[in-house]
C-alpha cells in the first residue's frame, strides 16, 4: 500500500517546550491510523502541523510523496486534509445543509438552498452518514452534530479525515456508530487519522497504531497484534497497572445515610426522586447510570450545592440536610465536582490560592483572618510533590495546567484535608491512562484508610472495578443496588435502562 | 503593560488630532504638562484633584474585583458629601480632629449603605442587576442633594445661592501646600494601602476575589456568595462615600449647586486603567487629575480646546477595553501575510484531485 501522508522527523518548538521532537508517521491509503498518547504527548501539536495551523521548525510533511508546506489551514483543506475538531464549530440556528456548505455555497452570493440540501443528501447517502439536511443543528444530538462536522470536511473534498479525540463527547452507542462510519469511509478508500488516548477504542477501530510519548513517536504497531498492556506501557513509558487490585475489606460504620432524598435543579425540574442508600467507612459505593439521570444533582445535594426538596441526608449520624456547603466541608465531606474548570478550580488563581480555596479560614492558610502566604506556599509545594502535579510550581495559574494535572490538584486538595467522606463525580473524565491509574490508586488508598467514598462515573468499567456496591440510577431513581463482586456489565447495563431483573421488579414500590 | 501602551497610543493619536486641527502638538502637550506639574501650585492642584479620584477609584476597583460593576460611585460620592456636611455644621463644641473623624466616618457609612445595602441586597436576593440599581441610586442621590440645598430645602443656607451652611472650620482638613493640597492626600494613600492589604492579605479579600473570579467555584468553596456580594458593593460605596466626605472637608466645605464634578464617573476609568490594583489606582488618579488641571493651561497657552483631554480619556478607555483585540489583530495580520506568500508555493500541492 502506498503512503498517503508521511510525516518525516518533524520538530516543533515553543518557548521552553519541545512540543514535537522527532515525529514520524505514515498514513497509508485506505487505512484507519490511530495516534495514541497521553495528554500533553504532542498529539494536538502534530495535528495542527498537519492541518496547517502551525509550520514545522524542522522535518517534512509529504502528501502522496510530494513535500508540502501549508501556510494556513485553508491551504491544507485545499490539499484535501479534512480536520474534525474536538469542539464543534457549527452554527446552532442554521440547518444541517447550511452549516455544511457554509463558506463554499452553491450559487455563491445567490445561495441555492435547494441545491445545497440535495448535495448534502447525496453526500450523506454516499458515505452512509445519515442526517436530515433540513434539520436545525441545535435540535441534533451531539453524535449527529459530529456527523455534520464530518460531512462538512467531506463536502470540501477531504481525502484524509483527521478526528481529534472524537469520542470524548459521545455515548458508547454513538461511539460505536462513529466507528461504523469510519470503517465505511475506509472501505471507500478515504484514510482516517484518529487521535485518542483511549486504548480500547483505538484497538477497536484502527488498522495501525502510532504511539506518542513526550513529543516523540515511539512505535507504530498493527492493531491486531497490540495488547492493551503493551500499548499502555508504550504510552506511559513504564509498566502500568491496568487492572485494579482491590483487597477485600469489611465495611465499617455508616458514614453517609441518604433517606428518601428528592432534589430539583435550578430550573425547578425534579432530578432526584426519593433516593435512599448508605455508604459505610472503607467502602466505595459506585453510582452508575447514563449521563443526565440525576447523578450529578444527587452529588451536589449531598455536598450542599443544591437544596433537598424532600428527604434527609445524614452524615456521621447527624442530620446535615439544611447545612450550607461550607459547614459540610468543615465536618469532613470532600467533593470532587464533575466540572473541574467551572466548579473545582479558579483558573485565574495560582495553585497556592486554589489549594486554600476550601479552607482559607483555617491554618495553615490563615490566622485570625490574615492570610499566611509562606506556610500556604509550603503546604501547596508538599501537595504538588505528594500528588505529582506538574509543573511543580505553586505560582503557576490553575488554567496553565493540563486537564489531568488540574484533576490531580483538586483531588490533592480534597484528599489531604482528611475527610470522612469523599464524593467524586467522574474523577477520571478526559484523562489519560497514566493519570487514571494514579487517581484510582488514590481512591483505593482512601478506601484502605477507612474513608467512605461515593463514586459517580459514566465509565462502567471504572464503576465495576473500583466499587464494593453499585447503585444504578435511572430517571432520578435508584433502580437497584447490587454487590460489585457478582455484578456483570449486562446486568448493570439493563438496570441503566430502568429494567430490573426477575422478582425485584415488583419489590419496593417506594423506589419506583 | 497594556495600560501604559493604551495611554501611549491615546497620547499619540491625540497629538495627531491636534496636528490635523492645525495646532502644534508639542506646544499643546508641553502646556498640558507645565499646567499639571510646572510649579508647586500646579502640583498641589493636580494631587488635590487626584485624591477623590483615587478614593472613588479604589471603591470601583473593589467591586470590579468581586465581579461587580458599581457605576453609581457618583451618587455614593454625593451621599458622602451630604453626610459629611450635615455632621460638619450640626455638631458643635467637638475637638477638631474628632469632628473631622465623625464627618469622614459618616460619609463612608452613608456611601456604603447607599451603594451596598440597597443595590447589594437587591442583587444578592432578588437578582436585580447592580449596573441598573447603582445607576438609579446614583440619580436619586444627586437629585436628593439638589433638593436639600434648593431654596426652601432643609440644608439651604439663607441667601441667593443654592448652597448649604458651611462645615465648621474646626473640622476642615489642613492645607499642606497651597492652594489645594491638604491632609486629604494621606487619606488616599492610607486607604490604598488598606485596600491592598485587605484584598491580598486577608481571608475576606481572598473570598471577594474568588467570588469575582469564579462565582460557581466560590459556592463550591463554601463562600456565601450573596453575603459577599453585599459586602463588595458595600465596601465599594463606602470608599466612594469617603471620597466625597474627604473632598468636601478639604476644599468646598459646603454642599453647593453645580459642584458635581463627575469624580464618580472618572473613577470608573481610573479603576479600568489601573486594572483594579490599589497602587495602580493611585497612579491612574494622578494621571487623570493631571489631564484635567493641565488641560486648562493647555487651552490658555496653545488655544487648543481643553476638551482634547476628554478625547484622550475616551481613547484610553477604548484601548484598555480593546486589550484582547491587539494580539488578535496581530495574529490576523500574520495569517493574511502568510496566505499571500504561501498560496502560490503550496496551494497547488494537492489540487489535482
Amino acid at each position: 500500500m502506498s503512503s498517503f501522508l508521511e510525516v518525516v522527523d518533524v520538530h516543533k518548538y515553543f518557548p521552553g517546550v519541545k512540543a514535537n521532537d522527532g515525529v514520524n508517521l505514515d498514513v497509508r491509503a485506505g487505512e484507519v491510523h490511530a495516534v495514541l498518547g497521553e495528554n500533553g504527548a504532542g498529539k494536538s501539536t502534530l495535528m495542527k502541523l498537519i492541518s496547517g495551523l502551525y509550520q514545522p521548525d524542522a522535518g517534512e510533511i509529504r502528501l502522496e510523496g510530494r513535500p508540502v508546506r501549508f501556510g494556513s489551514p485553508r491551504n491544507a483543506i485545499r490539499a484535501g486534509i479534512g480536520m474534525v475538531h474536538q469542539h464543534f464549530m457549527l452554527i446552532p440556528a442554521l440547518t444541517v445543509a447550511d452549516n455544511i456548505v457554509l463558506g463554499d455555497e452553491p450559487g455563491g452570493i445567490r445561495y441555492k438552498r435547494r441545491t445545497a440540501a440535495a448535495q448534502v443528501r447525496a453526500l450523506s447517502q454516499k458515505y452512509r452518514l445519515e442526517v436530515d439536511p433540513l434539520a436545525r443543528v441545535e435540535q441534533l444530538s451531539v453524535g449527529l452534530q459530529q456527523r455534520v462536522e464530518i460531512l462538512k470536511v467531506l463536502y470540501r473534498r477531504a481525502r484524509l479525515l483527521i478526528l481529534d479525540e472524537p469520542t470524548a463527547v459521545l455515548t458508547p452507542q454513538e461511539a460505536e456508530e462513529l466507528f461504523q462510519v469510519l470503517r465505511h469511509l475506509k472501505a471507500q478508500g478515504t484514510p482516517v487519522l484518529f487521535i485518542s488516548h483511549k486504548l480500547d477504542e483505538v484497538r477497536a477501530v484502527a488498522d495501525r497504531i502510532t504511539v506518542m510519548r513526550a513529543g516523540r513517536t515511539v512505535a507504530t504497531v498493527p492493531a491486531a497484534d497490540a495488547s492493551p498492556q503493551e500499548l499502555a506501557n508504550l504510552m506511559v513509558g513504564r509498566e502500568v497497572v491496568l487492572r485494579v487490585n482491590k483487597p477485600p475489606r469489611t465495611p465499617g460504620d455508616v458514614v453517609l445515610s441518604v433517606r428518601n432524598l428528592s432534589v430539583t435543579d435550578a430550573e425547578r425540574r425534579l432530578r432526584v426522586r426519593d433516593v435512599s442508600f448508605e455508604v459505610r467507612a472503607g467502602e466505595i459505593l459506585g453510582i452508575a447510570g447514563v449521563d443526565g439521570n440525576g447523578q450529578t444533582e444527587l452529588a451536589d445535594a449531598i455536598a450542599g450545592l443544591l437544596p433537598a426538596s424532600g428527604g434527609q441526608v445524614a452524615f456521621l449520624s447527624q442530620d446535615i440536610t439544611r447545612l450550607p456547603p461550607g459547614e459540610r466541608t468543615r465536618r469532613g465531606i470532600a467533593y470532587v465536582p464533575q466540572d473541574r474548570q467551572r466548579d473545582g478550580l479558579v483558573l485565574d488563581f495560582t495553585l497556592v490560592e486554589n489549594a486554600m480555596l476550601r479552607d482559607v479560614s483555617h491554618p495553615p492558610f490563615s490566622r485570625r483572618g490574615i492570610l499566611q502566604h509562606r506556610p500556604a506556599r509550603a503546604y501547596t509545594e508538599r501537595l504538588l510533590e505528594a500528588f505529582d502535579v506538574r509543573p511543580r510550581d505553586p505560582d503557576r495559574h490553575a488554567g496553565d495546567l493540563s486537564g489531568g494535572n488540574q484533576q490531580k490538584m483538586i483531588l490533592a486538595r480534597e484528599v489531604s484535608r482528611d475527610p470522612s467522606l469523599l464524593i467524586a463525580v467522574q474523577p477520571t473524565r478526559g484523562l489519560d491512562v497514566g493519570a487514571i491509574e494514579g487517581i484510582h490508586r488514590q481512591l483505593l488508598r482512601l478506601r484502605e484508610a477507612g474513608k467512605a467514598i461515593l463514586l459517580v462515573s459514566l465509565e462502567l468499567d471504572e464503576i465495576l472495578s473500583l466499587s464494593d456496591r453499585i447503585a444504578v440510577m435511572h430517571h432520578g431513581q435508584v433502580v437497584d443496588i447490587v454487590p460489585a463482586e457478582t455484578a456483570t456489565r449486562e446486568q448493570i447495563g439493563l438496570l441503566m435502562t430502568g429494567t430490573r431483573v426477575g422478582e425485584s421488579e415488583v419489590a419496593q414500590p417506594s423506589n419506583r | 503593560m497594556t495600560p501604559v501602551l493604551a495611554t501611549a497610543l491615546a497620547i499619540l493619536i491625540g497629538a495627531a488630532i491636534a496636528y490635523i486641527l492645525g495646532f502644534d502638538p508639542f506646544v499643546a502637550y508641553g502646556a498640558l504638562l507645565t499646567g499639571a506639574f510646572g510649579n508647586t501650585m500646579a502640583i498641589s492642584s493636580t494631587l488635590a484633584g487626584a485624591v477623590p479620584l483615587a478614593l472613588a477609584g479604589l471603591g470601583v476597583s473593589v467591586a470590579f474585583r468581586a465581579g461587580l460593576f458599581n457605576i453609581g460611585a457618583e451618587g455614593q460620592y454625593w451621599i458622602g458629601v451630604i453626610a459629611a456636611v450635615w455632621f460638619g455644621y450640626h455638631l458643635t463644641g467637638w475637638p477638631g480632629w474628632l469632628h473631622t473623624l465623625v464627618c469622614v466616618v459618616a460619609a463612608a457609612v452613608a456611601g456604603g449603605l447607599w451603594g451596598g445595602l440597597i443595590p447589594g441586597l437587591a442583587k444578592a436576593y432578588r437578582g436585580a442587576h447592580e449596573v441598573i440599581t447603582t445607576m438609579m441610586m446614583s440619580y436619586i442621590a444627586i437629585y436628593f442633594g439638589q433638593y436639600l440645598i434648593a431654596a426652601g430645602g432643609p440644608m439651604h443656607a439663607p441667601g441667593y445661592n443654592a448652597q448649604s451652611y458651611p462645615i465648621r472650620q474646626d473640622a476642615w482638613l489642613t492645607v499642606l501646600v497651597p492652594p489645594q493640597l491638604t491632609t486629604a492626600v494621606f487619606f488616599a494613600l492610607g486607604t490604598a494601602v488598606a485596600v491592598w492589604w485587605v484584598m491580598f492579605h486577608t481571608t475576606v479579600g481572598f473570598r471577594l476575589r474568588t467570588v469575582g473570579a469564579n462565582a460557581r467555584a466560590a459556592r463550591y468553596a463554601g463562600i456565601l456568595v450573596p453575603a459577599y456580594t453585599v459586602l463588595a458593593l458595600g465596601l465599594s460605596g463606602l470608599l466612594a462615600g469617603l471620597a466625597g466626605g474627604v473632598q468636601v472637608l478639604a476644599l468646598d466645605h459646603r454642599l453647593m449647586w453645580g459642584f458635581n464634578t463627575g469624580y464618580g464617573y472618572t473613577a470608573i476609568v481610573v479603576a479600568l486603567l489601573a486594572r483594579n490594583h490599589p497602587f495602580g489606582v493611585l497612579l491612574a488618579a494622578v494621571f487623570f487629575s493631571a489631564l484635567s488641571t493641565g488641560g486648562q493651561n493647555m487651552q490658555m497657552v496653545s488655544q487648543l480646546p481643553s476638551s482634547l483631554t476628554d478625547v484622550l480619556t475616551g481613547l484610553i478607555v477604548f484601548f484598555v477595553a480593546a486589550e484582547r483585540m491587539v494580539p488578535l489583530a496581530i495574529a490576523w495580520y500574520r495569517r493574511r501575510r502568510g496566505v499571500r506568500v504561501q498560496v502560490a508555493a503550496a496551494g497547488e500541492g494537492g489540487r489535482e484531485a
Side-chain angles (χ1 to χ4, degrees):
Chain A
M1 266 195 273
S2 62
S3 286
F4 182 79
L5 174 84
E6 281 170 278
V7 174
V8 186
D9 199 29
V10 157
H11 295 253
K12 178 71 186 175
Y13 305 121
F14 295 107
V17 189
K18 292 177 178 173
N20 274 188
D21 190 25
V23 171
N24 290 282
L25 178 75
D26 83 298
V27 183
R28 295 175 188 159
E31 76 164 345
V32 175
H33 193 115
V35 173
L36 180 70
E38 295 197 281
N39 291 328
K43 294 176 307 217
S44 296
T45 305
L46 175 62
M47 290 315 116
K48 284 176 180 162
L49 288 168
I50 295 173
S51 61
L53 273 163
Y54 296 156
Q55 278 72 53
D57 293 331
E60 201 168 63
I61 297 174
R62 294 189 203 133
L63 207 61
E64 296 177 311
R66 294 168 56 183
V68 286
R69 224 178 144 73
F70 304 126
S72 74
R74 197 173 301 199
N75 293 338
I77 291 169
R78 231 181 259 172
I81 306 243
M83 177 88 185
V84 176
H85 292 273
Q86 194 176 349
H87 302 285
F88 302 154
M89 300 176 185
L90 298 170
I91 301 166
L94 294 184
T95 67
V96 168
D98 291 344
N99 266 287
I100 289 170
V101 303
L102 189 68
D104 195 7
E105 301 90 348
I109 193 124
R110 300 180 58 186
Y111 176 41
K112 297 191 174 117
R113 177 163 267 158
R114 233 173 263 163
T115 318
Q119 284 177 353
V120 168
R121 191 166 288 128
L123 203 64
S124 83
Q125 272 157 11
K126 181 180 170 198
Y127 291 102
R128 290 197 204 149
L129 281 156
E130 268 148 48
V131 56
D132 176 11
L134 300 178
R136 279 204 292 177
V137 164
E138 63 195 350
Q139 293 162 344
L140 302 183
S141 68
V142 176
L144 285 176
Q145 289 188 18
Q146 190 174 52
R147 278 189 191 183
V148 177
E149 283 283 3
I150 295 175
L151 280 169
K152 218 162 88 178
V153 303
L154 291 174
Y155 178 80
R156 282 159 183 73
R157 292 177 209 84
R159 296 182 302 142
L160 166 70
L161 197 64
I162 305 175
L163 296 150
D164 188 4
E165 305 269 359
T167 60
V169 291
L170 302 183
T171 66
Q173 290 79 2
E174 285 174 328
E176 189 43 51
E177 283 170 26
L178 173 68
F179 296 159
Q180 291 294 345
V181 167
L182 297 188
R183 288 185 196 113
H184 186 73
L185 279 170
K186 180 176 84 172
Q188 300 219 337
T190 308
V192 177
L193 190 54
F194 185 94
I195 320 302
S196 180
H197 62 252
K198 291 187 184 162
L199 295 172
D200 298 340
E201 64 182 39
V202 159
R203 278 168 22 96
V205 74
D207 299 304
R208 290 192 305 150
I209 302 168
T210 296
V211 182
M212 282 188 81
R213 183 173 74 233
R216 296 164 187 270
T217 45
V218 288
T220 299
V221 293
D225 303 349
S227 74
Q229 187 65 52
E230 189 187 340
L231 288 173
N233 293 352
L234 278 170
M235 253 166 96
V236 182
R238 60 178 164 82
E239 283 284 316
V240 179
V241 185
L242 275 185
R243 191 165 303 139
V244 183
N245 257 327
K246 194 175 63 183
R249 211 174 179 296
T250 31
D253 297 337
V254 173
V255 173
L256 176 75
S257 158
V258 175
R259 297 231 166 284
N260 307 105
L261 182 69
S262 294
V263 183
T264 52
D265 64 10
E267 277 88 49
R268 292 168 194 273
R269 281 179 306 220
L270 189 61
R271 301 307 296 265
V272 177
R273 300 156 198 259
D274 200 19
V275 162
S276 302
F277 61 84
E278 286 175 347
V279 191
R280 291 166 176 275
E283 177 189 51
I284 299 184
L285 177 70
I287 299 213
V290 180
D291 196 8
N293 274 282
Q295 304 99 308
T296 349
E297 289 79 6
L298 174 65
D300 273 352
I302 297 169
L305 295 178
L306 277 177
S309 58
Q312 194 198 39
V313 180
F315 176 64
L316 298 173
S317 314
Q318 288 188 318
D319 185 3
I320 58 162
T321 319
R322 304 264 165 264
L323 290 183
E327 181 55 32
R328 300 188 198 208
T329 307
R330 267 188 289 285
R331 293 197 179 191
I333 297 182
Y335 185 28
V336 177
Q338 171 171 279
D339 196 326
R340 52 180 164 259
Q341 304 200 338
R342 285 174 69 187
D343 292 317
L345 294 169
V346 179
L347 297 182
D348 292 337
F349 276 11
T350 64
L351 296 183
V352 180
E353 288 172 310
N354 273 293
M356 63 168 84
L357 193 61
R358 301 246 286 163
D359 302 278
V360 69
S361 50
H362 307 290
F365 301 121
S366 69
R367 269 171 214 289
R368 285 183 220 92
I370 295 162
L371 299 182
Q372 306 288 313
H373 286 292
R374 227 168 284 161
R377 213 188 124 91
Y379 178 87
T380 309
E381 272 169 356
R382 283 200 303 277
L383 220 59
L384 302 183
E385 184 76 38
F387 286 80
D388 190 29
V389 180
R390 278 176 253 186
R392 208 153 294 168
D393 177 359
D395 296 325
R396 285 296 273 274
H397 286 212
D400 297 340
L401 266 56
S402 70
N405 281 301
Q406 289 179 347
Q407 194 70 342
K408 278 191 212 164
M409 182 68 213
I410 295 177
L411 200 67
R413 180 184 66 208
E414 296 304 307
V415 166
S416 56
R417 56 220 306 276
D418 194 30
S420 308
L421 168 71
L422 174 74
I423 309 167
V425 181
Q426 296 204 54
T428 60
R429 189 173 68 148
L431 304 190
D432 50 60
V433 195
I436 290 175
E437 186 201 5
I439 291 195
H440 284 177
R441 236 193 350 244
Q442 286 296 342
L443 293 179
L444 289 174
R445 201 183 57 76
L446 284 173
R447 172 180 177 268
E448 209 45 29
K451 313 294 185 193
I453 296 158
L454 185 68
L455 171 69
V456 177
S457 176
L458 304 179
E459 303 279 343
L460 211 47
D461 292 321
E462 182 169 77
I463 293 273
L464 280 165
S465 63
L466 289 174
S467 312
D468 295 297
R469 291 185 302 140
I470 302 171
V472 186
M473 283 191 78
H474 174 72
H475 205 52
Q477 293 175 317
V478 169
V479 185
D480 206 352
I481 301 180
V482 297
E485 288 158 37
T486 57
T488 62
R489 287 184 68 93
E490 291 67 33
Q491 183 194 4
I492 304 291
L494 205 60
L495 287 169
M496 279 161 69
T497 64
T499 323
R500 265 206 259 184
V501 201
E503 79 286 352
S504 53
E505 192 121 29
V506 277
Q508 293 180 358
S510 67
N511 262 5
R512 303 239 61 181
Chain B
M1 197 52 234
T2 318
V4 178
L5 201 72
T7 312
L9 262 174
I11 288 173
L12 224 66
I13 293 177
I17 293 171
Y19 182 77
I20 291 166
L21 293 177
F23 298 93
D24 184 340
F26 290 100
V27 173
Y29 279 150
L32 195 146
L33 215 60
T34 43
F37 301 107
N39 50 53
T40 36
M41 266 179 66
I43 294 173
S44 163
S45 304
T46 300
L47 292 184
V51 168
L53 284 180
L55 286 170
L58 287 167
V60 175
S61 75
V62 166
F64 266 139
R65 281 270 183 199
L68 297 164
F69 202 169
N70 174 18
I71 57 171
E74 181 72 18
Q76 293 142 19
Y77 177 94
W78 263 87
I79 287 295
V81 172
I82 293 167
V85 169
W86 195 87
F87 280 96
Y89 70 78
H90 271 98
L91 293 185
T92 51
W94 289 52
W97 64 271
L98 190 60
H99 193 181
T100 309
L101 196 67
V102 168
C103 293
V104 166
V105 169
V109 169
L113 293 179
W114 201 264
L117 206 66
I118 301 167
L121 288 175
K123 165 96 181 181
Y125 296 101
R126 278 285 163 266
H129 203 286
E130 77 279 3
V131 166
I132 309 292
T133 50
T134 54
M135 195 66 185
M136 291 196 305
M137 293 298 286
S138 181
Y139 279 111
I140 296 172
I142 291 165
Y143 291 122
F144 179 61
Q146 292 183 352
Y147 151 78
L148 287 177
I149 55 171
M155 287 169 77
H156 178 71
Y160 181 72
N161 291 326
Q163 58 183 25
S164 72
Y165 295 98
I167 296 168
R168 296 178 67 85
Q169 202 164 351
D170 57 11
W172 294 8
L173 295 177
T174 319
V175 176
L176 296 174
V177 182
Q180 294 196 324
L181 188 64
T182 63
T183 45
V185 73
F186 299 124
F187 280 93
L189 293 173
T191 307
V193 173
V195 168
W196 170 78
W197 188 77
V198 167
M199 292 310 276
F200 298 104
H201 289 273
T202 68
T203 55
V204 172
F206 179 80
R207 292 198 179 111
L208 281 173
R209 287 187 294 123
T210 306
V211 171
N214 183 344
R216 283 179 56 144
R219 238 168 71 72
Y220 160 72
I223 297 169
L224 296 171
V225 177
Y228 275 83
T229 300
V230 177
L231 180 68
L233 283 173
L235 277 179
S236 184
L238 185 137
L239 293 169
L242 181 65
V246 166
Q247 179 72 354
V248 79
L249 288 170
L251 292 179
D252 298 314
H253 309 306
R254 62 168 88 215
L255 190 55
M256 284 191 297
W257 186 263
F259 98 118
N260 182 5
T261 47
Y263 286 130
Y265 298 124
T266 311
I268 299 170
V269 190
V270 167
L272 203 65
L273 184 62
R275 285 191 161 179
N276 305 319
H277 196 284
F279 301 140
V281 165
L282 291 181
L283 283 179
V286 171
F287 175 77
F288 281 106
S289 176
L291 276 189
S292 150
T293 47
Q296 291 149 24
N297 193 53
M298 179 178 78
Q299 182 161 2
M300 280 192 294
V301 174
S302 69
Q303 322 299 306
L304 182 61
S306 66
S307 48
L308 178 77
T309 59
D310 294 334
V311 175
L312 290 185
T313 308
L315 286 168
I316 290 169
V317 172
F318 178 80
F319 287 123
V320 171
E323 171 191 358
R324 296 212 174 80
M325 259 170 58
V326 178
L328 275 181
I330 292 169
W332 176 81
Y333 174 75
R334 289 220 178 109
R335 267 204 309 277
R336 292 291 305 199
R337 213 181 42 178
V339 171
R340 260 181 269 125
V341 173
Q342 305 203 343
V343 151
E348 70 266 26
R351 209 69 245 264
E352 66 268 15

